[in-house]
């Protein structure tokens, strides 16, 4: 850089791809920033890429901290887990009361709750912030989800608004809410990401195995869809993948990549939290399960030899099926977002986050991995009705779903008949059909639970909780009578249900 400032307005611990690019983004916007990493090669890379910019790297933590302007604002971008605690422990003796620590990694929100309390007790400010957009987003404009200490966020708010992605001139960053809300929202963002990626993979499978399309044709379909209502970051990169040849070859790199998907845990955390909150997000759950199943490659190959034949081709007119497939993908995309937003609404109430779902959809429209044109519809729905219980209740979304669901039924039925796995497609459709059922068969489950475990049940039109002795212990089976025993609270009079 041309001139070394006497102090820096922002510090970054961890100069990997995300940390380094965020610092360079800040420097692009004329903020004097500093970075620290134990790996001197990363410090050197920052110096190389930041030449001529107000940015400096340090390999000494005390020197790094001492060069930051007070109150110091320091972000950590290090792997989630014990490393975050280790960095905080090493950092705290070097700080002064009022300094700010920001965890910008993908930490589990319960860890953020714990760290928030511990850091506050030590006299410092702390907040967790989800960041989405990958390497390109960090460098040129991410979507950011800060939550926790609002006073601390206000100190760095001008910086984050300056470097965030922008849609319609508005920055894709907003204060999410108290506690670990920022990391919770980022976790659900990643869960939605899992669902969408699985749906794209299944779409690829249906075109390749079911329709017999070659890579070039599949790439053209994805490119065409990305120019329409399905426009999204994930489809945009997918169309590029279908044109990228392996270096020195005449075939796609995609064809050389193993069919074993990895993960970093955020999708699994989303499923786990949803179960704890008694929320149904089956498309996301299925996406997590399919990544796990993909890792059993040798076992899958063995089963493939035992349970032939190979899946059949999809019958019928190819163009008509592709039209149905576009409808089905759109339907499934809507359902995936709807599940994620419903989970956010439930967590907001249970955890006291006070989430503004319209604002979350708004900042997801740019910079982040799940950005898509449909997020404008989600924003409009929750802006019109902030306390909307479920996205599917919105009138405009209902019209979109009703128009697309015939394609979803066509595709799922064809895939099942041909023996082509489309688990996320099927999960989305079943979720929809179950949610629109005024009466589910769950009454039978309650009867079974009461039969084998005396878990009780409730009755239609009657107050109270009831239990029945379904098998009389001292009567001959041939002389069975109605054994309804009435309320579980024996102080109430039993109610005999109609036969």
């Amino acid at each position: 850089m041309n001139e070394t400032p006497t102090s820096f307005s922002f510090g970054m611990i961890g100069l990997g791809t995300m940390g380094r690019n965020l610092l360079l983004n800040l420097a692009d916007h004329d903020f004097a920033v500093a970075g620290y990493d134990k790996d001197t090669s990363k410090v050197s890379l920052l110096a190389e890429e930041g030449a001529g910019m107000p940015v400096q790297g340090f390999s000494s933590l005390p020197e790094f901290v001492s060069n930051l302007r007070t109150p110091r604002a320091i972000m950590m971008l290090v792997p989630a887990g014990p490393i975050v605690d280790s960095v905080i422990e090493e950092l705290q003796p070097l700080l002064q009361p009022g300094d700010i620590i920001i965890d910008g990694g993908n930490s589990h929100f319960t860890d953020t709750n714990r760290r928030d309390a511990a850091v506050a007790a030590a006299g410092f400010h702390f907040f967790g912030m989800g960041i989405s957009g990958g390497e390109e987003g960090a460098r040129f404009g991410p979507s950011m989800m800060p939550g926790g200490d609002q006073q601390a966020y206000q100190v760095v708010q001008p910086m984050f608004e300056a470097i965030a992605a922008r849609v319609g001139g508005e920055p894709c960053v907003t204060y999410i809410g108290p506690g670990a809300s920022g990391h919770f929202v980022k976790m659900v963002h990643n869960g939605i990401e899992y669902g969408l990626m699985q749906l794209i993979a299944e779409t690829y499978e249906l075109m390749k195995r079911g329709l017999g399309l070659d890579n070039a044709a599949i790439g053209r379909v994805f490119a065409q869809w990305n120019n329409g209502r399905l426009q999204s970051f994930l489809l945009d990169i997918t169309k590029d993948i279908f044109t990228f040849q392996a270096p020195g070859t005449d075939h796609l790199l995609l064809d050389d990549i193993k069919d074993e998907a990895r993960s970093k845990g955020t999708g699994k955390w989303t499923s786990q939290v949803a179960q704890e909150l008694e929320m149904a997000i089956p498309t996301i759950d299925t996406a997590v399960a399919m990544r796990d199943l993909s890792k059993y490659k040798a076992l899958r190959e063995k089963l493939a030899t035992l349970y032939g034949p190979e899946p059949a081709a999809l019958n019928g007119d190819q163009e008509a099926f592709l039209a149905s497939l576009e409808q089905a993908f759109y339907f499934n995309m809507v359902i995936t977002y709807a599940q994620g937003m419903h989970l956010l609404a439930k967590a907001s109430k249970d955890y006291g986050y006070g989430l503004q779902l319209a604002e979350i959809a708004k900042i997801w429209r740019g910079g982040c991995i799940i950005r898509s044109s449909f997020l404008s519809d989600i924003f409009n729905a929750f802006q019109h009705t902030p306390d909307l219980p479920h996205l599917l209740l919105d009138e405009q979304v209902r019209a979109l779903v009703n128009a697309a669901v015939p394609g979803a039924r066509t595709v799922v039925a064809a895939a099942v008949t041909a023996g082509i796995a489309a688990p996320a497609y099927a999960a989305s459709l079943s979720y929809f059909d179950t949610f629109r059922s005024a009466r589910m068969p769950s009454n039978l489950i309650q009867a079974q639970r009461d039969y084998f475990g005396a878990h009780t049940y409730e009755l239609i039109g009657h107050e109270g909780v009831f239990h029945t002795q379904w098998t009389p212990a001292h009567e001959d089976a041939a002389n069975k009578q109605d054994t309804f025993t009435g309320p579980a609270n024996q102080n109430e009079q039993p109610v005999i249900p109609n036969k």
Side-chain angles (χ1 to χ4, degrees):
M1 59 191 171
N2 298 327
E3 182 178 352
T4 302
T6 57
S7 63
F8 300 90
S9 58
F10 189 86
M12 178 72 69
I13 295 179
L15 297 179
T17 299
M18 290 292 291
R20 187 177 70 257
N21 279 298
L22 274 173
L23 275 187
L24 295 172
N25 191 351
L26 283 160
D28 277 342
H29 290 82
D30 299 322
F31 294 104
V33 294
Y36 163 76
D37 203 296
K38 292 180 179 179
D39 186 340
T40 56
S41 67
K42 292 180 180 178
V43 175
S44 298
L45 185 58
L46 176 66
E48 177 185 335
E49 295 183 352
M53 302 168 68
V55 57
Q56 183 171 331
F58 296 87
S59 55
S60 164
L61 186 61
E63 185 181 5
F64 161 75
V65 172
S66 66
N67 275 277
L68 294 174
R69 189 179 306 154
T70 57
R72 300 178 180 92
I74 302 174
M75 179 185 289
M76 301 175 293
L77 268 172
V78 298
I83 294 177
V84 177
D85 294 306
S86 176
V87 170
I88 292 174
E89 183 178 356
E90 188 177 0
L91 183 62
Q92 284 188 142
L94 304 174
L95 301 181
Q96 297 175 1
D99 286 349
I100 302 165
I101 303 174
I102 306 163
D103 181 4
N106 279 327
S107 290
H108 194 283
F109 75 102
T110 57
D111 288 336
T112 302
N113 286 331
R114 171 177 55 80
R115 290 165 185 149
D116 186 17
V119 172
F124 311 117
H125 296 282
F126 178 90
F127 68 87
M129 182 170 74
I131 303 173
S132 181
E135 178 179 355
E136 182 178 353
R139 184 66 183 85
F140 301 109
S143 175
M144 293 176 284
M145 295 149 260
D149 189 326
Q150 189 169 14
Q151 180 183 353
Y153 170 65
Q154 289 171 348
V155 173
V156 294
Q157 182 177 351
M159 299 183 199
F160 291 164
E161 289 184 348
I163 67 170
R166 306 187 85 81
V167 174
E170 296 181 292
C172 292
V173 58
T174 189
Y175 177 72
I176 297 296
S181 58
H183 276 149
F184 189 94
V185 169
K186 176 54 163 55
M187 177 190 71
V188 175
H189 164 287
N190 285 22
I192 295 171
E193 177 185 311
Y194 272 59
L196 296 175
M197 292 174 72
Q198 178 64 27
L199 290 169
I200 294 172
E202 291 179 18
T203 305
Y204 161 53
E205 179 83 338
L206 287 163
M207 288 192 283
K208 185 176 183 69
R209 183 175 293 196
L211 296 180
L213 299 185
D214 61 23
N215 288 327
I218 295 171
R220 286 194 296 270
V221 171
F222 282 132
Q224 179 184 354
W225 286 3
N226 194 52
N227 287 329
R229 63 176 180 172
L230 292 174
Q231 190 282 321
S232 66
F233 172 79
L234 286 171
L235 277 187
D236 194 41
I237 65 170
T238 300
K239 72 173 177 55
D240 291 345
I241 289 169
F242 276 89
T243 63
F244 192 92
Q245 291 187 339
T249 75
D250 59 356
H251 66 269
L252 295 187
L253 175 61
L254 176 64
D255 292 334
D256 293 338
I257 297 175
K258 287 184 176 181
D259 58 329
E260 299 177 53
R262 301 287 186 261
S263 62
K264 290 189 175 180
T266 47
K268 177 182 70 176
W269 296 345
T270 306
S271 290
Q272 290 172 334
V273 170
Q275 290 182 2
E276 291 171 1
L277 294 175
E278 299 181 347
M279 289 291 301
I281 53 168
T283 309
I284 296 171
D285 293 340
T286 298
V288 174
M290 290 306 102
R291 290 203 189 187
D292 291 337
L293 190 58
S294 75
K295 297 166 188 173
Y296 292 87
K297 175 70 172 176
L299 186 55
R300 288 190 288 115
E301 289 177 334
K302 180 64 175 178
L303 290 171
T305 66
L306 299 176
Y307 289 92
E310 285 289 312
L314 297 171
N315 297 319
D317 180 79
Q318 186 177 98
E319 289 304 315
F321 186 82
L322 284 173
S324 293
L325 189 59
E326 190 273 347
Q327 280 190 342
F329 185 86
Y330 186 80
F331 169 85
N332 292 328
M333 177 190 68
V334 172
I335 294 298
T336 304
Y337 280 113
Q339 290 175 14
M341 300 308 287
H342 196 202
L343 176 56
L344 288 178
K346 183 68 161 64
S348 181
K349 292 179 180 178
D350 285 20
Y351 298 151
Y353 288 156
L355 300 179
Q356 303 298 312
L357 299 188
E359 290 300 303
I360 292 171
K362 185 178 179 181
I363 66 170
W364 283 353
R365 294 178 305 164
C368 76
I369 301 300
I370 65 170
R371 63 185 184 265
S372 69
S373 61
F374 180 65
L375 275 161
S376 293
D377 296 294
I378 300 177
F379 168 69
N380 292 334
F382 286 105
Q383 186 181 48
H384 181 265
T385 311
D387 59 349
L388 186 69
H390 196 285
L391 185 61
L392 293 180
L393 294 174
D394 178 75
E395 185 175 350
Q396 292 185 348
V397 171
R398 182 180 65 183
L400 296 171
V401 167
N402 281 334
V405 72
R409 298 195 189 284
T410 296
V411 169
V412 170
V416 170
T417 300
I420 299 173
Y425 269 69
S428 299
L429 184 58
S430 292
Y431 171 86
F432 172 74
D433 284 336
T434 301
F435 228 147
R436 69 186 188 92
S437 299
R439 182 173 175 83
M440 293 170 59
S442 307
N443 53 322
L444 177 57
I445 295 173
Q446 284 300 91
Q448 291 170 329
R449 293 179 71 247
D450 191 61
Y451 189 116
F452 66 70
H455 294 297
T456 73
Y457 52 84
E458 295 172 286
L459 284 170
I460 299 171
H462 297 285
E463 294 294 328
V465 178
F466 301 88
H467 166 59
T468 288
Q469 179 63 45
W470 298 85
T471 54
H474 304 297
E475 294 181 5
D476 185 88
N479 297 321
K480 278 187 179 180
Q481 299 177 4
D482 188 346
T483 58
F484 177 83
T485 58
N489 182 347
Q490 294 302 315
N491 292 326
E492 301 180 31
Q493 292 298 315
V495 178
I496 305 300
N498 293 328
K499 298 274 186 176

